[in-house]
PDB file of all heavy atoms in Angstrom:
ATOM      1  N   ASP A  65       0.457 -23.743 -16.226  1.00 95.00           N
ATOM      2  CA  ASP A  65       1.396 -24.853 -16.116  1.00 95.00           C
ATOM      3  C   ASP A  65       2.788 -24.393 -16.540  1.00 95.00           C
ATOM      4  O   ASP A  65       2.949 -23.721 -17.561  1.00 95.00           O
ATOM      5  CB  ASP A  65       0.923 -26.011 -17.005  1.00 95.00           C
ATOM      6  CG  ASP A  65       1.757 -27.258 -16.795  1.00 95.00           C
ATOM      7  OD1 ASP A  65       2.224 -27.456 -15.670  1.00 95.00           O
ATOM      8  OD2 ASP A  65       1.933 -28.026 -17.774  1.00 95.00           O
ATOM      9  N   GLY A  66       3.777 -24.752 -15.764  1.00 94.00           N
ATOM     10  CA  GLY A  66       5.149 -24.331 -16.028  1.00 94.00           C
ATOM     11  C   GLY A  66       5.651 -23.348 -15.002  1.00 94.00           C
ATOM     12  O   GLY A  66       6.865 -23.170 -14.845  1.00 94.00           O
ATOM     13  N   ILE A  67       4.737 -22.695 -14.295  1.00 96.00           N
ATOM     14  CA  ILE A  67       5.120 -21.767 -13.225  1.00 96.00           C
ATOM     15  C   ILE A  67       5.161 -22.521 -11.900  1.00 96.00           C
ATOM     16  O   ILE A  67       4.222 -23.226 -11.551  1.00 96.00           O
ATOM     17  CB  ILE A  67       4.154 -20.570 -13.145  1.00 96.00           C
ATOM     18  CG1 ILE A  67       4.302 -19.692 -14.384  1.00 96.00           C
ATOM     19  CG2 ILE A  67       4.408 -19.762 -11.879  1.00 96.00           C
ATOM     20  CD1 ILE A  67       3.439 -18.465 -14.377  1.00 96.00           C
ATOM     21  N   GLN A  68       6.244 -22.373 -11.202  1.00 95.00           N
ATOM     22  CA  GLN A  68       6.411 -22.974  -9.886  1.00 95.00           C
ATOM     23  C   GLN A  68       6.625 -21.870  -8.854  1.00 95.00           C
ATOM     24  O   GLN A  68       7.162 -20.810  -9.175  1.00 95.00           O
ATOM     25  CB  GLN A  68       7.601 -23.943  -9.872  1.00 95.00           C
ATOM     26  CG  GLN A  68       7.446 -25.108 -10.836  1.00 95.00           C
ATOM     27  CD  GLN A  68       8.648 -26.035 -10.817  1.00 95.00           C
ATOM     28  OE1 GLN A  68       9.514 -25.944  -9.939  1.00 95.00           O
ATOM     29  NE2 GLN A  68       8.719 -26.930 -11.788  1.00 95.00           N
ATOM     30  N   PHE A  69       6.173 -22.134  -7.639  1.00 94.00           N
ATOM     31  CA  PHE A  69       6.328 -21.115  -6.601  1.00 94.00           C
ATOM     32  C   PHE A  69       7.021 -21.682  -5.377  1.00 94.00           C
ATOM     33  O   PHE A  69       6.933 -22.873  -5.076  1.00 94.00           O
ATOM     34  CB  PHE A  69       4.966 -20.512  -6.216  1.00 94.00           C
ATOM     35  CG  PHE A  69       4.035 -21.461  -5.513  1.00 94.00           C
ATOM     36  CD1 PHE A  69       4.027 -21.555  -4.127  1.00 94.00           C
ATOM     37  CD2 PHE A  69       3.156 -22.260  -6.226  1.00 94.00           C
ATOM     38  CE1 PHE A  69       3.170 -22.418  -3.469  1.00 94.00           C
ATOM     39  CE2 PHE A  69       2.296 -23.134  -5.587  1.00 94.00           C
ATOM     40  CZ  PHE A  69       2.308 -23.212  -4.203  1.00 94.00           C
ATOM     41  N   GLN A  70       7.730 -20.799  -4.692  1.00 92.00           N
ATOM     42  CA  GLN A  70       8.410 -21.125  -3.453  1.00 92.00           C
ATOM     43  C   GLN A  70       8.115 -20.038  -2.426  1.00 92.00           C
ATOM     44  O   GLN A  70       8.108 -18.847  -2.754  1.00 92.00           O
ATOM     45  CB  GLN A  70       9.923 -21.228  -3.657  1.00 92.00           C
ATOM     46  CG  GLN A  70      10.391 -22.452  -4.420  1.00 92.00           C
ATOM     47  CD  GLN A  70      11.903 -22.506  -4.506  1.00 92.00           C
ATOM     48  OE1 GLN A  70      12.543 -21.568  -4.961  1.00 92.00           O
ATOM     49  NE2 GLN A  70      12.494 -23.605  -4.047  1.00 92.00           N
ATOM     50  N   THR A  71       7.889 -20.462  -1.206  1.00 88.00           N
ATOM     51  CA  THR A  71       7.691 -19.519  -0.114  1.00 88.00           C
ATOM     52  C   THR A  71       9.021 -19.312   0.594  1.00 88.00           C
ATOM     53  O   THR A  71       9.650 -20.274   1.043  1.00 88.00           O
ATOM     54  CB  THR A  71       6.631 -20.038   0.871  1.00 88.00           C
ATOM     55  OG1 THR A  71       5.399 -20.243   0.170  1.00 88.00           O
ATOM     56  CG2 THR A  71       6.402 -19.042   1.989  1.00 88.00           C
ATOM     57  N   LYS A  72       9.466 -18.061   0.654  1.00 83.00           N
ATOM     58  CA  LYS A  72      10.781 -17.768   1.203  1.00 83.00           C
ATOM     59  C   LYS A  72      10.710 -16.631   2.203  1.00 83.00           C
ATOM     60  O   LYS A  72       9.787 -15.819   2.186  1.00 83.00           O
ATOM     61  CB  LYS A  72      11.751 -17.364   0.083  1.00 83.00           C
ATOM     62  CG  LYS A  72      11.960 -18.419  -0.997  1.00 83.00           C
ATOM     63  CD  LYS A  72      12.943 -17.922  -2.042  1.00 83.00           C
ATOM     64  CE  LYS A  72      13.182 -18.960  -3.122  1.00 83.00           C
ATOM     65  NZ  LYS A  72      14.171 -18.487  -4.131  1.00 83.00           N
ATOM     66  N   MET A  73      11.719 -16.598   3.062  1.00 71.00           N
ATOM     67  CA  MET A  73      11.894 -15.438   3.924  1.00 71.00           C
ATOM     68  C   MET A  73      12.559 -14.333   3.107  1.00 71.00           C
ATOM     69  O   MET A  73      13.566 -14.563   2.447  1.00 71.00           O
ATOM     70  CB  MET A  73      12.772 -15.773   5.134  1.00 71.00           C
ATOM     71  CG  MET A  73      12.063 -16.522   6.236  1.00 71.00           C
ATOM     72  SD  MET A  73      13.106 -16.651   7.710  1.00 71.00           S
ATOM     73  CE  MET A  73      11.984 -17.513   8.820  1.00 71.00           C
ATOM     74  N   GLY A  74      12.017 -13.146   3.147  1.00 67.00           N
ATOM     75  CA  GLY A  74      12.619 -12.034   2.440  1.00 67.00           C
ATOM     76  C   GLY A  74      12.165 -11.947   0.995  1.00 67.00           C
ATOM     77  O   GLY A  74      11.438 -12.808   0.484  1.00 67.00           O
ATOM     78  N   ASP A  75      12.609 -10.885   0.331  1.00 66.00           N
ATOM     79  CA  ASP A  75      12.167 -10.604  -1.031  1.00 66.00           C
ATOM     80  C   ASP A  75      13.122 -11.115  -2.098  1.00 66.00           C
ATOM     81  O   ASP A  75      12.828 -11.035  -3.286  1.00 66.00           O
ATOM     82  CB  ASP A  75      11.972  -9.092  -1.217  1.00 66.00           C
ATOM     83  CG  ASP A  75      13.174  -8.280  -0.735  1.00 66.00           C
ATOM     84  OD1 ASP A  75      14.313  -8.666  -1.057  1.00 66.00           O
ATOM     85  OD2 ASP A  75      12.980  -7.269  -0.044  1.00 66.00           O
ATOM     86  N   GLY A  76      14.294 -11.631  -1.689  1.00 60.00           N
ATOM     87  CA  GLY A  76      15.239 -12.175  -2.645  1.00 60.00           C
ATOM     88  C   GLY A  76      16.016 -11.138  -3.421  1.00 60.00           C
ATOM     89  O   GLY A  76      16.711 -11.477  -4.385  1.00 60.00           O
ATOM     90  N   SER A  77      15.941  -9.867  -3.028  1.00 62.00           N
ATOM     91  CA  SER A  77      16.639  -8.816  -3.768  1.00 62.00           C
ATOM     92  C   SER A  77      18.145  -8.866  -3.551  1.00 62.00           C
ATOM     93  O   SER A  77      18.908  -8.362  -4.365  1.00 62.00           O
ATOM     94  CB  SER A  77      16.110  -7.437  -3.353  1.00 62.00           C
ATOM     95  OG  SER A  77      16.279  -7.228  -1.956  1.00 62.00           O
ATOM     96  N   GLU A  78      18.584  -9.481  -2.439  1.00 54.00           N
ATOM     97  CA  GLU A  78      20.010  -9.614  -2.157  1.00 54.00           C
ATOM     98  C   GLU A  78      20.373 -11.092  -2.202  1.00 54.00           C
ATOM     99  O   GLU A  78      20.099 -11.852  -1.275  1.00 54.00           O
ATOM    100  CB  GLU A  78      20.337  -9.010  -0.794  1.00 54.00           C
ATOM    101  CG  GLU A  78      20.010  -7.519  -0.698  1.00 54.00           C
ATOM    102  CD  GLU A  78      20.318  -6.947   0.669  1.00 54.00           C
ATOM    103  OE1 GLU A  78      21.167  -7.540   1.381  1.00 54.00           O
ATOM    104  OE2 GLU A  78      19.724  -5.923   1.025  1.00 54.00           O
ATOM    105  N   ALA A  79      20.996 -11.495  -3.312  1.00 49.00           N
ATOM    106  CA  ALA A  79      21.276 -12.909  -3.536  1.00 49.00           C
ATOM    107  C   ALA A  79      22.219 -13.496  -2.495  1.00 49.00           C
ATOM    108  O   ALA A  79      22.113 -14.665  -2.127  1.00 49.00           O
ATOM    109  CB  ALA A  79      21.859 -13.101  -4.934  1.00 49.00           C
ATOM    110  N   ASN A  80      23.161 -12.708  -1.994  1.00 51.00           N
ATOM    111  CA  ASN A  80      24.164 -13.199  -1.054  1.00 51.00           C
ATOM    112  C   ASN A  80      23.830 -12.860   0.399  1.00 51.00           C
ATOM    113  O   ASN A  80      24.715 -12.867   1.253  1.00 51.00           O
ATOM    114  CB  ASN A  80      25.540 -12.623  -1.413  1.00 51.00           C
ATOM    115  CG  ASN A  80      25.996 -13.047  -2.799  1.00 51.00           C
ATOM    116  OD1 ASN A  80      25.773 -14.194  -3.214  1.00 51.00           O
ATOM    117  ND2 ASN A  80      26.632 -12.136  -3.524  1.00 51.00           N
TER     118      ASN A  80
END
Side-chain angles (χ1 to χ4, degrees):
D65 187 32
I67 292 182
Q68 299 179 12
F69 68 91
Q70 288 183 305
T71 301
K72 300 181 179 181
M73 282 188 178
D75 50 45
S77 59
E78 299 179 23
N80 298 321

